[in-house]
Amino acid sequence: MARLSEENVRLAKEVIARYPRARSAMIPLLHLAQEQDGYVTNEAMAHIGDLVGATSAEVYGTASFYEMFKFEPVGKYLINICGTMSCALMGAEDLMHHAEHRLGVKLGGTTDDGLFTLERAECQAACTEAPCLQVNYRYRFRVTAADFDALVDDLKAGNLTDEVPAHGIVARVRQQIPVDRGVGAVPPEDVTEAPTWMAEKAAL
Amino acid sequence: MTTTESTPAVVVDPDAVNLTINGRAVVARKGELIIAAADRNGDYIPRFCYHPRMSSVGMCRQCLVEVEGPRGPMMVVSCMTSVSEGQVVRTETDQVKRAQEGMIELLLANHPLDCPVCDKGGECPLQDQAFSHGPGESRFIEEKRHYEKPIAISDLVLLDRERCILCDRCTRFADEVAGDALIHFTSRGNNTQVQTFPDEPFSSYFSGNTVQICPVGALTARPYRFKARPWDLEKTESTCTTCAVGCRITLESSRDELLRYQGVDSDPVNHGWLCDKGRFNFESLKSDARLTNPLVRDGASLVETSWSSALSTAASLITSALRAGNPSRVAVLGGARGTNEDAHAWAKLVDALGIDSVDAQMGDGLPSAVLTYPQATIDDAAHASTVILLSPDLKEELPILYLRLRDASEKKRSRILEFASKGSGLTRYAWKSVPYLPGNQVAVVASTLSEPAVSAQMAKGSVVVVVGRSNLAESDEYNMAALDAVMAAHPGATVLPVLRRGNVRGALSVGLGRRDAVDILTDAANGEIDCLVLVGADPIADCPDSDLARRAFAAIPSIIAIDTFATASSAKATVLLPAAAFGEKDGTTTNLEGRVTRLARKVTVNGTSRPDWMVALELADILGHDLGAASVADVHADLVSSNPAFGPATRVALATHPDGVVLAAPATGATTSFAPPPAEKPGFAHRLVVGRKLYDNGRNVAESPSLARLAPGSALHMHPLDLERLGAPEGASVRVSGDRTSIVMNVVGDESVQRGTVWAAWAQSGANIGELIDATKWVNDVRVESLR
Ligand code: SF4
Ligand code: SF4
Ligand code: FES
Ligand code: FES
């Protein structure tokens, strides 16, 4: 619960190497930190700053722009119920009330067992499947109260461990880009030629 | 040709751009921003985020103007749009007005409008521009955002997030100018706010600048908070003499009390910025510890007396010392903390008395011969293609010079080649930072300069050598010999001497550097000095060899001190005269590059204090010498007419050039005569490196409550691997021993310290590292033992 682990530092260095500027790796590294601890700790932000050559304040400034980064512990399962138009019309409000009762927490709260955090989200781009929710960013469509209860029961029982990993794990399959397969991005200051599309335009 | 008249050749400036602003033709420079061109043309465009010394970010959108385009007029952000040939700009049409009023309305949507209790009220760009460019009323009825008011973001600066208009000036300054990106915008949308990292304060040496440039009252500084309203302040322009950079400032006072200094934009010097030490040490001027009346020793105590009796006592001490032998039994130390006129009056007095034991430095600087090399200005250094550092840590000693050189490196104008015994503030901006063990500087410099990559770099353009005393525990001869090594390798280089005391260059230029203070103190310790005059000098605190200073003071029968405070040295005086301080006297000062600027008196002197020049004139009078001057103006006129270097610095020249006049330096192309020996280090010892931190226990920090607590205190810094080898944990007490004595210090791991060396800061509270410095040695080695 702190700085990045040795294994994650190795991964971090691999990610950093993909970019012409180390700072560009800041967001992937924040995901790595969130995956490690379930949220982004202060120690991890300071560590990321060291790794990419930024101050802790710069890392925090960047990270806090994004709602998906959490700076305090959240439940193992983060449930986001969509509250935007289509879902609202299809009963998102009732679903939220039900969820609050079922979990025994108010919107934004975390259950005492540390398993669930309840949040509202803006449109999740699944409007045809309203009302919808995400649990650790995995979709559930046309959710009824009974579906919600079943979901909670399944998560508690560990029936969904394969499908829904703990909060912070965005993807289980880690991107592997061998150095020779990188795009070979050139630092902006070293770019000497116009981009291809401009060259093509000039040729016309 | 139909005419015989010849048309004058039209000089076409390739960088000139012709445009019209509000119907008037304007010639601008290529790449210039519309807002800057309009400023020069007298058309004011309202703005909040634009700052001419920082990059444009287009954050506030207040500077919208109309530019004629192919499809009719369009709105552009004038701080982000460059001028172009034939451009037609209008800044005052109805459309522009509507846009600007709309922006003010939006900026005020969340602004608390607590002007009556806001420090900025009365000098607030938001308040002023809401009147001049605002709609007068708002359509917003929604609740404004609320935050805890105010939060401390450092020991000095407080932030009221409700007032913040998110202009990005403070955060941009911290990142771009100071290089301390410790504040940043956090969160998003309506919740966007300036914040530090949790538990990591905005502890930048330059934090006060953010308070000055914040266009609202969101940032306030503790030393000035709630002290005055802007309309109560009277302002005079002057020069900061806290260090030798000589930043331009305004002295702002109310009811005869200095309450604030603000930076003034001087293009050759400070670009409007100040360091926090210079900005906030005005607090020390009103310290209760200031001397108010002359004191004369009566046994163990000092007793108040009148000026006339104190002066005649002082004069008789000098007379009897002179009579006891010859002028060599009298010594004068100091003069670097006052004005040029103070120093000149004292130089005239010591001339009249034939005294030769005179020094303005305390054995902690460089020989004054450094001023006879071909000289460079700060601007020369900040535009040189190669800057060679043979200097102490500029961030700690001459902060604004650090900013100028950092900028030169960041903007890719200059490459910095640093030679240092310990990593400095500029190390991370250096093209190459070459470490050396104290004693080996000359060899390391010579071999580095012969590397092909280095000589190729130096051949690219101008080379400026920044030279100062890089280590108080090492002979100054090494710095001078290293300088000679550079000059030999690159004879075209120019030199920027970085001696640090406010007016040390002025004092040396008028002749207050005749013998090295260490030699004078050695004579004194041997009983060869009967009377020592201290003109704002504190050798016990400032001479690197503390033991020598102590022995000298014990052996001198009579000491006359002129000082603002009773210091370690002046408290030992037989006669102690209260001196007028900065802000209490008129005159001129000379900065490290030899730039003479005016100093202003803003408040009445403390008690019966008198300026140093006046004391010199009065003593001369009693001693039967007529120095031919009766006022500071007389002294200045005499300086200008008698000292060719000061010839250009006439009253008129200084009045018409607020940025000052650079001394005509007599460049003699000097090189030092002799090369100090390389010094071998015994294997078991650590070589001692002693430098400075910005905040120390010098009077002007120690007597400024806001700054005093920022001094780090005494500690021994060691490379983490050496620390491991020593077997002492971080923070543990260790015994540090030299040949004479040993002291106990806390040890800290510090990667900027080289292995085999230890570093300690000068003049910190706690153990005094000066106990371990022997000024007669080339270098000083110490043994470190764990006390566990
Ligand atoms: S605190 Fe002041 S300078 Fe900083 S962003 Fe806010 S308004 Fe601008
Ligand atoms: S850099 Fe020196 S001259 Fe400038 S504000 Fe700081 S102390 Fe004063
Ligand atoms: S409104 Fe809920 S997914 Fe679009
Ligand atoms: S001054 Fe131009 S956008 Fe702020």
Side-chain angles (χ1 to χ4, degrees):
Chain A
M1 197 73 76
R3 292 162 65 87
L4 296 182
S5 66
E6 247 170 68
E7 167 60 8
N8 280 336
V9 169
R10 197 188 57 73
L11 285 170
K13 291 195 171 146
E14 197 180 302
V15 174
I16 290 170
R18 288 179 202 155
Y19 298 91
R21 286 187 185 162
R23 282 175 175 244
S24 309
M26 208 183 271
I27 289 180
L29 300 197
L30 284 161
H31 279 297
L32 206 56
Q34 182 148 283
E35 175 176 323
Q36 174 179 300
D37 298 323
Y39 70 106
V40 183
T41 64
N42 288 350
E43 293 80 3
M45 282 190 278
H47 194 182
I48 290 171
D50 288 346
L51 288 168
V52 304
T55 63
S56 313
E58 288 173 306
V59 178
Y60 179 53
T62 304
S64 62
F65 185 86
Y66 300 95
E67 306 248 324
M68 277 173 73
F69 291 125
K70 307 293 177 191
F71 304 100
E72 271 152 36
V74 292
K76 183 175 180 193
Y77 300 109
L78 174 67
I79 299 178
N80 292 82
I81 299 180
C82 173
T84 312
M85 186 63 79
S86 302
C87 295
L89 288 172
M90 298 300 284
E93 199 71 357
D94 291 343
L95 181 60
M96 181 61 85
H97 277 142
H98 176 78
E100 286 182 336
H101 272 110
R102 171 65 219 260
L103 297 175
V105 296
K106 296 293 279 178
L107 176 61
T110 299
T111 54
D112 289 342
D113 58 6
L115 270 187
F116 299 99
T117 297
L118 190 58
E119 283 188 349
R120 190 203 297 288
E122 296 303 327
C123 179
Q124 294 172 335
C127 314
T128 54
E129 314 300 326
C132 74
L133 63 75
Q134 288 180 334
V135 49
N136 289 351
Y137 308 106
R138 272 77 177 172
Y139 280 104
R140 284 292 179 277
F141 299 131
R142 303 186 189 222
V143 186
T144 62
D147 292 343
F148 186 85
D149 291 346
L151 173 68
V152 168
D153 290 339
D154 280 343
L155 287 168
K156 276 191 171 170
N159 296 340
L160 294 174
T161 358
D162 284 348
E163 196 193 333
V164 185
H167 179 254
I169 300 177
V170 177
R172 273 204 241 252
V173 183
R174 213 176 277 293
Q175 200 181 26
Q176 289 289 344
I177 309 177
V179 186
D180 58 327
R181 295 285 308 280
V183 292
V186 184
E189 60 272 18
D190 293 348
V191 174
T192 47
E193 283 165 18
T196 359
W197 63 267
M198 262 175 87
E200 278 164 11
K201 213 167 137 195
L204 291 180
Chain B
M1 280 252 199
T2 54
T3 166
T4 52
E5 274 177 40
S6 63
T7 26
V10 181
V11 189
V12 184
D13 176 356
D15 280 344
V17 176
N18 298 287
L19 68 157
T20 63
I21 301 181
N22 294 337
R24 268 178 297 164
V26 173
V27 184
R29 285 181 312 278
K30 207 175 183 170
E32 193 172 7
L33 297 167
I34 293 177
I35 194 169
D39 270 352
R40 279 196 298 106
N41 196 42
D43 289 306
Y44 182 79
I45 301 171
R47 81 283 305 264
F48 293 106
C49 66
Y50 169 71
H51 191 286
R53 292 289 182 190
M54 298 195 286
S55 60
S56 284
V57 286
M59 206 64 187
C60 72
R61 319 309 281 183
Q62 188 57 51
C63 64
L64 289 167
V65 297
E66 211 173 271
V67 169
E68 200 59 55
R71 285 183 293 272
M74 57 180 191
M75 284 299 167
V76 304
V77 180
S78 63
C79 72
M80 294 286 284
T81 314
S82 311
V83 293
S84 61
E85 189 63 33
Q87 198 174 44
V88 177
V89 180
R90 293 186 207 93
T91 70
E92 278 165 354
T93 63
D94 286 348
Q95 274 294 20
V96 170
K97 268 209 183 92
R98 272 192 45 173
Q100 292 177 348
E101 286 177 2
M103 286 320 305
I104 294 269
E105 193 179 354
L106 282 168
L107 287 172
L108 293 180
N110 262 323
H111 194 79
L113 290 171
D114 48 0
C115 312
V117 294
C118 176
D119 264 346
K120 201 80 172 187
E123 58 176 10
C124 175
L126 181 58
Q127 196 180 47
D128 294 347
Q129 295 180 120
F131 275 100
S132 59
H133 295 83
E137 53 190 47
S138 173
R139 286 164 290 180
F140 291 105
I141 51 163
E142 291 78 7
E143 186 69 22
K144 302 186 182 218
R145 49 187 210 158
H146 292 295
Y147 289 112
E148 186 190 333
K149 265 166 122 54
I151 52 169
I153 54 170
S154 76
D155 283 324
L156 291 168
V157 180
L158 295 113
L159 165 66
D160 180 330
R161 288 165 293 173
E162 293 182 346
R163 291 180 188 154
C164 171
I165 57 165
L166 306 174
C167 72
D168 194 24
R169 275 186 167 195
C170 57
T171 39
R172 208 171 352 144
F173 170 85
D175 177 26
E176 261 182 45
V177 181
D180 299 321
L182 300 171
I183 43 175
H184 205 280
F185 284 136
T186 62
S187 297
R188 173 158 45 98
N190 197 43
N191 203 24
T192 310
Q193 52 188 287
V194 174
Q195 273 288 7
T196 64
F197 191 66
D199 298 329
E200 205 179 292
F202 178 40
S203 51
S204 169
Y205 285 167
F206 307 98
S207 67
N209 293 295
T210 62
V211 177
Q212 184 173 343
I213 61 177
C214 177
V216 297
L219 295 170
T220 45
R222 251 183 234 286
Y224 172 73
R225 223 174 128 66
F226 302 141
K227 290 277 161 61
R229 307 312 315 250
W231 51 87
D232 290 331
L233 291 175
E234 293 168 6
K235 308 179 187 192
T236 312
E237 205 173 309
S238 189
T239 308
C240 176
T241 57
T242 307
C243 81
V245 175
C247 300
R248 293 299 284 165
I249 55 174
T250 53
L251 309 182
E252 310 193 356
S253 69
S254 170
R255 293 200 241 158
D256 208 24
E257 188 183 338
L258 278 171
L259 292 173
R260 180 169 79 171
Y261 299 160
Q262 296 275 65
V264 173
D265 194 322
S266 171
D267 192 57
V269 184
N270 61 321
H271 291 186
W273 314 127
L274 301 180
C275 72
D276 288 356
K277 180 174 171 181
R279 185 184 294 272
F280 297 124
N281 71 36
F282 64 84
E283 288 182 333
S284 66
L285 299 179
K286 34 189 186 200
S287 159
D288 289 340
R290 280 282 303 276
L291 298 173
T292 47
N293 284 308
L295 300 165
V296 172
R297 182 160 302 279
D298 179 8
S301 55
L302 285 161
V303 219
E304 275 193 12
T305 181
S306 68
W307 268 94
S308 59
S309 96
L311 283 170
S312 60
T313 312
S316 66
L317 292 176
I318 295 174
T319 316
S320 58
L322 288 171
R323 216 180 285 132
N326 50 41
S328 75
R329 300 201 69 86
V330 181
V332 178
L333 290 177
R337 291 231 159 89
T339 63
N340 290 327
E341 291 68 25
D342 290 337
H344 182 59
W346 273 94
K348 287 189 68 121
L349 177 60
V350 298
D351 271 343
L353 300 176
I355 300 169
D356 196 41
S357 291
V358 176
D359 201 356
Q361 303 185 81
M362 299 299 120
D364 57 353
L366 291 181
S368 51
V370 73
L371 304 180
T372 59
Y373 288 67
Q375 299 288 300
T377 61
I378 294 175
D379 255 351
D380 292 342
H383 290 89
S385 83
T386 311
V387 179
I388 299 185
L389 300 181
L390 303 174
S391 62
D393 190 338
L394 299 178
K395 185 174 183 179
E396 306 292 342
E397 297 203 2
L398 301 158
I400 297 298
L401 179 61
Y402 158 80
L403 285 194
R404 294 290 312 271
L405 294 180
R406 178 190 173 273
D407 180 71
S409 161
E410 286 285 279
K411 304 259 169 71
K412 311 242 179 299
R413 286 193 306 272
S414 312
R415 278 184 164 172
I416 297 175
L417 169 55
E418 176 183 61
F419 294 95
S421 294
K422 173 185 182 283
S424 76
L426 278 171
T427 301
R428 56 190 273 230
Y429 304 105
W431 168 64
K432 211 171 157 63
S433 181
V434 188
Y436 65 85
L437 191 70
N440 294 346
Q441 185 177 3
V442 186
V444 170
V445 168
S447 79
T448 305
L449 294 188
S450 64
E451 287 170 20
V454 174
S455 45
Q457 167 60 29
M458 286 173 62
K460 277 190 191 157
S462 61
V463 176
V464 171
V465 194
V466 177
V467 62
R469 179 69 171 273
S470 43
N471 176 6
L472 294 173
E474 179 187 4
S475 162
D476 55 4
E477 301 285 357
Y478 289 110
N479 283 117
M480 295 304 286
L483 173 59
D484 287 338
V486 180
M487 298 309 282
H490 200 87
T494 51
V495 176
L496 181 64
V498 288
L499 305 178
R500 51 178 281 281
R501 277 191 191 84
N503 193 25
V504 62
R505 179 139 190 180
L508 295 177
S509 303
V510 301
L512 289 185
R514 305 180 184 194
R515 283 186 74 205
D516 192 319
V518 169
D519 297 338
I520 299 174
L521 291 171
T522 308
D523 283 358
N526 294 336
E528 287 161 25
I529 303 283
D530 293 329
C531 179
L532 171 66
V533 185
L534 298 172
V535 186
D538 184 1
I540 295 185
D542 286 349
C543 173
D545 188 334
S546 300
D547 181 59
L548 170 65
R550 236 186 346 252
R551 280 185 288 123
F553 270 69
I556 303 171
S558 45
I559 296 168
I560 301 163
I562 306 158
D563 213 326
T564 47
F565 291 98
T567 63
S569 308
S570 64
K572 297 203 169 1
T574 324
V575 179
L576 177 49
L577 303 169
F582 178 79
E584 299 172 351
K585 58 185 174 185
D586 285 314
T588 62
T589 186
T590 310
N591 81 345
L592 54 85
E593 55 181 340
R595 180 180 303 280
V596 181
T597 50
R598 293 206 297 184
L599 294 173
R601 181 181 54 197
K602 189 72 204 72
V603 291
T604 326
V605 290
N606 190 53
T608 64
S609 308
R610 294 183 184 179
D612 301 351
W613 63 264
M614 194 185 279
V615 177
L617 296 191
E618 281 167 346
L619 278 175
D621 205 38
I622 303 174
L623 293 167
H625 294 278
D626 180 8
L627 299 186
S631 66
V632 69
D634 292 348
V635 179
H636 180 79
D638 187 74
L639 171 61
V640 169
S641 62
S642 66
N643 188 327
F646 283 85
T650 60
R651 273 188 101 70
V652 177
L654 292 177
T656 46
H657 298 89
D659 287 337
V661 176
V662 177
L663 286 185
T668 62
T671 52
T672 327
S673 43
F674 119 114
E680 290 299 320
K681 183 174 74 70
F684 58 86
H686 280 89
R687 184 139 295 168
L688 182 59
V689 184
V690 175
R692 293 175 193 273
K693 296 296 284 177
L694 182 66
Y695 303 117
D696 56 18
N697 63 15
R699 286 301 91 190
N700 62 5
V701 171
E703 298 293 341
S704 298
S706 307
L707 300 180
R709 54 205 176 125
L710 302 177
S714 177
L716 189 74
H717 292 234
M718 207 176 205
H719 191 278
L721 293 174
D722 281 357
L723 192 60
E724 210 179 298
R725 211 179 57 166
L726 181 68
E730 176 96 17
S733 295
V734 293
R735 187 191 315 282
V736 195
S737 317
D739 285 349
R740 291 174 181 159
T741 183
S742 58
I743 56 178
V744 174
M745 299 176 90
N746 291 338
V747 70
V748 294
D750 182 343
E751 272 175 9
S752 68
V753 177
Q754 270 185 86
R755 293 206 65 184
T757 68
V758 286
W759 182 88
W762 182 253
Q764 295 292 335
S765 53
N768 170 21
I769 194 69
E771 302 295 347
L772 302 180
I773 300 176
D774 179 345
T776 62
K777 287 188 176 169
W778 292 108
V779 293
N780 284 274
D781 293 323
V782 295
R783 288 183 316 281
V784 184
E785 297 155 275
S786 173
L787 281 181
R788 282 201 306 168

